[in-house]
Amino acid sequence: MNYYLTNTLQQFDDKIRYVKEGAISIRHNIVMEDFLSGNDFDQAEVQTQLTYCMDLFSRRNMVEQNTPFIDHVYLFNNYGQFVHSAYYPTTLTATAQMNTAYWKLHQEFEASKNQYRCYPDTEKTDICFRILDDKMETVGICIVSMRNEGIISLFSNNKKYKDSYWLVTDSYGRKICGVGTEAQMSQLTWMTPGTSDYMKLNGRTACYRTLTNGFGIRTVIAVKESNMYAVLQPILTLFSLVMVVVLMVVAVIVFGVSYRLTRPLKQIAAEIKSFGQVDLTRQMRDFSVQEFHDISVVFNEMVARINRLTTQVYEKELLATRAQIKFLQAQLNPHFQFNILAMFSIKARLSGNEELYQGLHAFSKLMQGKIFREKEIKIPLATEIELVEFYLYLQKSRFPDKISYEINLSGRDVQNCLIPRLLIEPLVENAVSHGLEPKCGNGYIRIDVCEKEEKLYITVEDDGVGFDQDTYMQERVERSDHTATGLANTIRLLEILYENEYDIKITGKVSEGTRIEIVVPVERGGQNVEGNGCR
């Protein structure tokens, strides 16, 4: 019964959602934007686009295949102009009368300053709502005519239940449509929105459910509890008969099978209990029954496999211990190198060679970021940009007049967004090594990072030698150099970390440069994300 109530209310909600989606389609249609802004527009084209946006002849607007839920749509801009679309064809006289009536309704709603409002009538209910632009300013008013006949058809299944009632009201509690007495309608009006429970209706218990739809419309449906028993009675009777038959069949089968299986099962249980009490090599005896013979074979194979795995585990633990010792020993070498670099950079500064100090410092920090942070899978954007700046500083030191760059970060707290470690730096390396170094003359690299709609947009662009985009995919398959491998590793990393929630675009043109754009979800955290914290 709860499913029926929910399904009935959901059908009505789907129709209201259809109206809301039509309004969104109007807002984002280029032709309709010209009409709403008062620019030059073609009246016939605007009329066609309104019909396309609302799509009154679609299945979503139909109730029982031949009754429309919405039969008229009017759209007014702020300059006194309007267009309309209708499901049923009308005469010129009827059209003129409707235009006059809806023009008055438009003026009344415009003066009310409400965002939306319903105007119930005996045969139809007009829903008025404002069309807003990106600045939340009103650019027009839309009026859709909702047929009461269509609403009644949606709730027609309610007739098969005795003592069932339903009600549709607007945001002011005014009745749009419903079935029941005035007292029952008044009681349904005060039901808490979005609830499902039991209530006393005319002295009898009834199950009810309410739903709040768009434009302030509320729907309530109630069915007396007695209907539930009437629906369940044939099901319970059939279920009882089936259960009796099943229990009888099961009893016969269990009696026959247990007699044949009890003794071998007891023997199997004893064999299993004894396994491991003395040693792990105990084998199970064979049985004449095929099923128990199979159990014996599988059990003996399991024992042999356990012994093999036990030996392998001991060997692997020994190898892991040796590998850990070697890893700790290997850590000493990079630490020694970075300590030497730090010593030379300090000596360079003490001797007054600031340029050499800055170069050694940048190189040391770059290598530390690549080697010592290898356990960190995701790091703050600011840390990654710092590595990029170290790398570009070193390259600019090599080519003072050849390479220039620009880094732009925009967005709310974008520097604290987490991204995969070494996501941007390898792309900048490729841009310098394969874009700017082969180029004659100066080169420029631009790095842009911005946050938009919960997405992080990362762009690395250069004006280097570029590439032929028509043959790029074939060369990418055939090439195995550092560039192709590094880019493939970046794409594979994005697939592992983000699955289908990322995007990467690579564009370029010969002699004009290359542009790589990566889009990943925005993620923030107080600490860097290590391997165990990644999904």
Side-chain angles (χ1 to χ4, degrees):
M1 184 61 66
N2 188 55
Y3 169 78
Y4 160 73
L5 298 179
T6 302
N7 184 62
T8 303
L9 295 181
Q10 189 62 49
Q11 290 183 39
F12 181 82
D13 190 63
D14 288 342
K15 300 302 179 185
I16 299 299
R17 191 179 298 113
Y18 154 76
V19 177
K20 294 170 67 176
E21 292 174 359
I24 294 174
S25 180
I26 290 173
R27 174 63 190 87
H28 295 286
N29 186 289
I30 298 177
V31 176
M32 305 306 293
E33 286 184 0
D34 291 338
F35 169 74
L36 293 172
S37 61
N39 296 333
D40 293 337
F41 60 89
D42 186 341
Q43 181 79 14
E45 178 63 20
V46 174
Q47 185 83 25
T48 301
Q49 290 299 317
L50 176 63
T51 301
Y52 169 77
C53 291
M54 295 305 299
D55 195 9
L56 297 181
F57 296 95
S58 68
R59 293 180 60 185
R60 296 189 63 188
N61 189 39
M62 293 295 104
V63 180
E64 295 183 352
Q65 298 182 352
N66 55 2
T67 302
F69 185 75
I70 302 297
D71 61 353
H72 285 286
V73 180
Y74 275 79
L75 181 64
F76 298 83
N77 63 14
N78 293 337
Y79 304 94
Q81 300 162 315
F82 70 91
V83 290
H84 78 281
S85 178
Y87 181 85
Y88 295 108
T90 57
T91 63
L92 294 177
T93 302
T95 300
Q97 293 176 350
M98 283 194 303
N99 291 345
T100 302
Y102 279 106
W103 175 258
K104 293 180 179 179
L105 182 61
H106 150 259
Q107 290 182 316
E108 179 182 347
F109 174 70
E110 186 177 26
S112 70
K113 303 301 182 181
N114 294 326
Q115 290 297 323
Y116 54 80
R117 186 172 181 181
C118 296
Y119 294 87
D121 202 350
T122 56
E123 296 183 356
K124 63 182 178 62
T125 298
D126 295 318
I127 304 175
C128 301
F129 55 90
R130 301 180 187 274
I131 304 295
L132 306 178
D133 60 9
D134 294 335
K135 299 179 180 179
M136 303 304 291
E137 298 290 338
T138 300
V139 294
I141 294 175
C142 185
I143 304 176
V144 296
S145 178
M146 183 171 59
R147 292 174 59 86
N148 293 351
E149 177 186 355
I151 300 176
I152 295 172
S153 297
L154 285 175
F155 290 88
S156 60
N157 288 335
N158 211 41
K159 296 179 181 178
K160 66 182 180 180
Y161 297 104
K162 295 178 60 177
D163 298 327
S164 59
Y165 317 96
W166 60 271
L167 177 65
V168 180
T169 62
D170 65 3
S171 57
Y172 296 97
R174 296 178 300 181
K175 175 183 174 182
I176 295 177
C177 273
V179 170
T181 64
E182 290 297 328
Q184 292 165 346
M185 295 295 99
S186 177
Q187 189 173 354
L188 292 178
T189 301
W190 295 103
M191 293 295 100
T192 304
T195 60
S196 176
D197 206 343
Y198 292 91
M199 61 181 289
K200 287 292 184 180
L201 199 61
N202 290 348
R204 295 183 179 181
T205 303
C207 175
Y208 77 91
R209 188 169 184 84
T210 67
L211 183 65
T212 301
N213 313 102
F215 309 108
I217 297 175
R218 289 181 54 220
T219 48
V220 186
I221 185 170
V223 177
K224 289 294 182 64
E225 192 176 28
S226 57
N227 288 282
M228 303 180 195
Y229 301 121
V231 172
L232 290 176
Q233 184 175 1
I235 299 175
L236 291 174
T237 302
L238 178 61
F239 179 77
S240 300
L241 292 175
V242 171
M243 286 300 298
V244 170
V245 174
V246 169
L247 289 174
M248 292 177 63
V249 172
V250 169
V252 173
I253 294 175
V254 169
F255 178 78
V257 172
S258 62
Y259 179 79
R260 186 169 182 264
L261 300 182
T262 300
R263 185 177 179 182
L265 284 176
K266 289 182 178 179
Q267 294 176 347
I268 291 175
E271 297 285 350
I272 293 176
K273 287 181 180 179
S274 64
F275 175 73
Q277 294 180 354
V278 180
D279 56 45
L280 297 176
T281 61
R282 187 178 181 87
Q283 299 287 311
M284 183 179 291
R285 74 183 69 179
D286 199 4
F287 297 92
S288 58
V289 179
Q290 180 62 40
E291 290 79 4
F292 296 129
H293 168 75
D294 294 339
I295 293 175
S296 174
V297 171
V298 173
F299 182 84
N300 293 335
E301 290 178 352
M302 181 190 68
V303 171
R305 190 177 298 112
I306 288 175
N307 286 304
R308 290 197 301 270
L309 291 176
T310 302
T311 303
Q312 292 177 6
V313 167
Y314 285 136
E315 293 176 350
K316 288 182 179 179
E317 287 182 353
L318 181 60
L319 291 175
T321 302
R322 293 176 178 175
Q324 186 176 11
I325 294 173
K326 290 183 179 179
F327 174 77
L328 293 174
Q329 292 173 343
Q331 292 274 332
L332 299 176
N333 187 36
H335 275 294
F336 174 74
Q337 295 176 8
F338 294 134
N339 289 336
I340 294 300
L341 284 173
M343 180 190 70
F344 283 140
S345 63
I346 293 173
K347 286 187 175 182
R349 186 167 221 180
L350 292 175
S351 63
N353 194 335
E354 184 66 23
E355 181 178 358
L356 179 58
Y357 166 76
Q358 293 294 341
L360 288 172
H361 176 73
F363 179 72
S364 176
K365 291 294 184 180
L366 178 62
M367 297 309 296
Q368 286 182 15
K370 286 191 170 185
I371 296 176
F372 280 128
R373 308 190 72 160
E374 61 182 3
K375 290 186 177 181
E376 298 176 2
I377 295 181
K378 293 182 181 179
I379 61 176
L381 175 66
T383 304
E384 178 73 8
I385 292 300
E386 187 179 44
L387 293 179
V388 172
E389 291 178 333
F390 285 141
Y391 173 78
L392 289 174
Y393 176 83
L394 293 172
Q395 289 290 9
K396 192 170 178 63
S397 298
R398 292 179 59 202
F399 309 103
D401 300 325
K402 184 179 181 65
I403 297 177
S404 59
Y405 64 90
E406 179 182 357
I407 300 177
N408 298 313
L409 306 180
S410 61
R412 178 179 59 86
D413 198 23
V414 70
Q415 292 187 351
N416 290 326
C417 292
L418 296 179
I419 64 171
R421 187 178 72 90
L422 296 181
L423 175 65
I424 303 177
E425 194 272 343
L427 301 181
V428 175
E429 281 195 32
N430 283 346
V432 173
S433 301
H434 303 278
L436 301 187
E437 288 188 11
K439 177 183 177 181
C440 296
N442 298 335
Y444 176 75
I445 294 179
R446 179 185 176 94
I447 303 167
D448 292 312
V449 182
C450 66
E451 178 184 348
K452 182 180 179 184
E453 297 179 354
E454 298 301 323
K455 297 287 186 180
L456 198 64
Y457 292 78
I458 303 170
T459 305
V460 178
E461 187 174 4
D462 66 77
D463 61 352
V465 296
F467 64 93
D468 186 355
Q469 201 161 347
D470 294 334
T471 60
Y472 168 70
M473 293 306 298
Q474 180 64 29
E475 291 182 352
R476 181 178 166 187
V477 173
E478 295 176 353
R479 289 167 55 191
S480 60
D481 59 6
H482 174 72
T483 305
T485 303
L487 188 57
N489 289 339
T490 299
I491 296 174
R492 179 57 180 159
L493 176 64
L494 293 172
E495 290 177 350
I496 293 173
L497 294 179
Y498 300 105
E499 297 179 355
N500 297 325
E501 298 181 4
Y502 80 96
D503 189 22
I504 181 169
K505 295 179 182 178
I506 305 172
T507 57
K509 194 171 182 181
V510 176
S511 300
E512 293 188 7
T514 304
R515 185 176 189 270
I516 300 178
E517 181 183 49
I518 298 175
V519 183
V520 296
V522 171
E523 181 179 356
R524 289 185 173 89
Q527 297 179 350
N528 296 347
V529 179
E530 297 189 0
N532 294 335
C534 292
R535 52 178 177 167

